Amino acid sequence: MPIHHHTIASSPRLAISVAGKGPLVILVHGLGGDRSTWAHQLEALQHKYTAVSVDLRGYGDSEDPPLPIQFKADFCADLLAVIDYFNVPRAHLVGLSMGGRVCRTAALQIPDRVASLTLANTSPGFDHMTATQLEAFIEARSGALAQNGLPPDFGRQQALAMMAPGAPLSAINVMAQAVDRLRVPNYLSTLRASTLQDRGDRLEDITCPVHIITSDHDTVYPAGVTTALCQRIPHALHTEIIGAGHISNLEQPDAFNAALMRFLDSLPRENNTHPYLAPQETPCISIGKNSL
């Protein structure tokens, strides 16, 4: 099936890529990404689902928003605009890194519009950091940037830093190109807002089905962070992808897609009124290059 590209006439305008037909699945990129990083998942999902990757406001082909960004309100509004565009009651949300934080915030703010969550290579927020630590976190990720552009070879350097050793060249190139498309003022505003404002979410109150995907070589959100996330949502299914770093959907797309499809296919279809009954606690499943 072909991939179609549309613009949602929201405020600000949002660019999306769409493939397939069926229950709506929205794919949400991270702080340094855009919708181009989800091509493998659009291809895999389209045979059973309406798969949509979105450029959040200020990213990719979406319109620049008024600054400063309001992390929870603004990005939740973007996801709601996509759901409304397809005129469906609810959507399955899949987010990587910051995209995962956007998705679980949406599940708390608009729970009646969220069918399930897949939270990949992400964190429970920044409640554990002091004000000084938060500023240091922001500085470490913004100090090399200038308001008038990105340093030479910035995208490739960032991609290599986030991925596991031996990551496919194709994955490195896709991520590097997405990073190099960043508009620096939007990026810096989003970095600050997503760090300082992602606090106080009660992950224990998330009631929809949840799938947490982690990677054994993720240096951005390593084991301690992802363990804390799993502990906050004990009914979540947990899949560990072996041999991947922070961008698991690009580094190990076959393993990522297999895990995602197993989770989504296990859920009641959106026209099924039977309630989802979450288990009390679920074990971690490890998959990877030699595990499928």
Side-chain angles (χ1 to χ4, degrees):
M1 299 180 187
I3 296 175
H4 301 281
H5 307 285
H6 303 283
T7 299
I8 297 176
S10 52
S11 181
R13 294 185 301 275
L14 301 174
I16 60 173
S17 296
V18 185
K21 185 177 181 181
L24 182 62
V25 180
I26 303 174
L27 305 158
V28 187
H29 60 79
L31 180 68
D34 60 28
R35 77 186 197 276
S36 70
T37 59
W38 293 106
H40 292 297
Q41 286 66 53
L42 291 177
E43 174 64 29
L45 290 167
Q46 65 178 325
H47 305 290
K48 293 184 178 181
Y49 299 92
T50 300
V52 179
S53 58
V54 58
D55 284 334
L56 295 171
R57 61 182 65 197
Y59 282 87
D61 296 317
S62 288
E63 188 176 16
D64 288 346
L67 299 180
I69 286 284
Q70 299 301 314
F71 176 69
K72 295 183 180 182
D74 287 350
F75 291 139
C76 184
D78 289 350
L79 298 190
L80 190 57
V82 177
I83 298 171
D84 288 344
Y85 177 80
F86 287 90
N87 194 30
V88 296
R90 304 193 303 173
H92 301 281
L93 303 182
V94 181
L96 183 124
S97 193
M98 185 192 76
R101 299 192 284 118
V102 170
C103 289
R104 52 110 164 127
T105 298
L108 291 168
Q109 293 203 344
I110 50 171
D112 58 325
R113 308 302 301 275
V114 178
S116 76
L117 288 177
T118 295
L119 308 177
N121 302 95
T122 191
S123 83
F126 294 93
D127 289 303
H128 63 291
M129 287 189 177
T130 66
T132 300
Q133 290 172 328
L134 289 169
E135 289 297 337
F137 182 92
I138 294 168
E139 175 61 24
R141 286 155 179 79
S142 62
L145 303 181
Q147 289 288 341
N148 59 349
L150 300 173
D153 206 31
F154 181 72
R156 183 174 178 81
Q157 293 173 12
Q158 292 297 303
L160 289 170
M162 290 187 286
M163 293 185 179
L169 179 60
S170 58
I172 294 169
N173 289 340
V174 169
M175 194 66 221
Q177 289 165 12
V179 172
D180 284 336
R181 282 191 290 268
L182 292 172
R183 278 103 75 187
V184 173
N186 291 314
Y187 171 82
L188 292 176
S189 182
T190 301
L191 170 64
R192 174 163 288 275
S194 70
T195 303
L196 298 182
Q197 298 171 23
D198 189 11
R199 300 166 69 85
D201 272 3
R202 285 216 20 106
L203 279 66
E204 298 81 1
D205 293 340
I206 295 174
T207 57
C208 68
V210 181
H211 181 200
I212 296 172
I213 297 177
T214 63
S215 304
D216 61 340
H217 289 286
D218 189 342
T219 58
V220 179
Y221 291 132
V225 174
T226 55
T227 296
L229 178 64
C230 293
Q231 290 173 342
R232 295 283 301 275
I233 316 175
H235 69 266
L237 172 68
H238 177 200
T239 301
E240 181 183 43
I241 297 182
I242 304 301
H246 187 59
I247 317 296
S248 60
N249 69 309
L250 278 174
E251 297 176 67
Q252 293 263 4
D254 291 341
F256 188 99
N257 293 345
L260 176 59
M261 291 292 291
R262 276 198 296 267
F263 172 66
L264 292 175
D265 290 350
S266 74
L267 303 177
R269 301 286 285 184
E270 276 303 280
N271 58 1
N272 189 331
T273 59
H274 296 295
Y276 172 80
L277 300 177
Q280 292 300 307
E281 189 168 356
T282 55
C284 174
I285 301 169
S286 294
I287 61 175
K289 291 179 180 177
N290 301 314
S291 305
L292 295 177

